[in-house]
Amino acid sequence: MVHVDRYEKTWITVSAAFLLLLVAVLAYTTFGMKISLPGPLFVCAPAEYSAPVTANDPPFTAPGMRQVGPDQYEVIMTAQVFGYNPNEITVPRGATVTFVMTSKDVIHGFRIPGTTVNAMIVPGEVTRVTYTFDEPGEYTFFCHEYCGAGHQVMSGRIVVQ
Ligand code: CUA
């Protein structure tokens, strides 16, 4: 029988118990609370999104905003060098807006300073972010993934009335 010091035994036990606790917490949040890293909601073929998009590529054939419920809006948006379509939307104060986005070319970013919105727009994948605009005013969103010569001018505007 190998002699293990009492203190060492204690710390081995504490360390093992802590690891088991973390695994239990991870399992609970993943399976019990259904919290996980975001994955692609659905995948699309980038080639089919090069302009002009065809009718076979919903919902990005019709970029723009639509109301989907009381104070609920959905913005179908495409990103391409070096802009967004649409690049300006107007919503009433308190509107909850879901941005559904894809890229027609390279990886772009979508960040709205002053909010929690900070996402990547990846060709071939669909990015979905939701935010409630409680404060009226003008919000500028911009690309924060370097995408080429015009990267610094790639921006748009959200007006909250
Ligand atoms: Cu698009 Cu940087």
Side-chain angles (χ1 to χ4, degrees):
M1 187 74 184
V2 182
H3 172 74
V4 180
D5 188 85
R6 192 163 59 87
Y7 290 113
E8 195 169 2
K9 203 181 268 178
T10 303
W11 282 111
I12 288 170
T13 307
V14 167
S15 304
F18 189 65
L19 280 177
L20 286 175
L21 175 70
L22 289 181
V23 169
V25 168
L26 184 64
Y28 178 69
T29 53
T30 303
F31 301 109
M33 299 171 70
K34 304 266 183 251
I35 296 173
S36 62
L37 286 173
L41 289 162
F42 61 94
V43 171
C44 55
E48 293 171 13
Y49 285 84
S50 50
V53 276
T54 70
N56 301 324
D57 306 321
F60 299 104
T61 46
M65 187 176 75
R66 63 191 184 100
Q67 189 161 6
V68 292
D71 289 330
Q72 304 273 334
Y73 298 84
E74 186 179 70
V75 175
I76 304 296
M77 183 183 275
T78 57
Q80 53 273 307
V81 287
F82 297 98
Y84 300 90
N85 181 19
N87 73 352
E88 182 164 336
I89 64 163
T90 301
V91 293
R93 178 184 184 171
T96 298
V97 183
T98 299
F99 298 89
V100 182
M101 305 172 288
T102 195
S103 168
K104 289 184 176 182
D105 39 45
V106 298
I107 293 175
H108 296 283
F110 184 71
R111 175 157 139 68
I112 314 175
T115 73
T116 54
V117 177
N118 185 339
M120 283 171 78
I121 308 177
V122 181
E125 290 193 10
V126 177
T127 299
R128 187 183 287 260
V129 286
T130 299
Y131 187 77
T132 301
F133 292 91
D134 286 323
E135 296 293 323
E138 276 192 28
Y139 297 78
T140 300
F141 58 85
F142 63 90
C143 179
H144 65 306
E145 295 286 340
Y146 182 74
C147 54
H151 161 70
Q152 72 279 3
V153 300
M154 185 167 172
S155 66
R157 206 160 67 111
I158 298 162
V159 179
V160 181
Q161 288 175 332

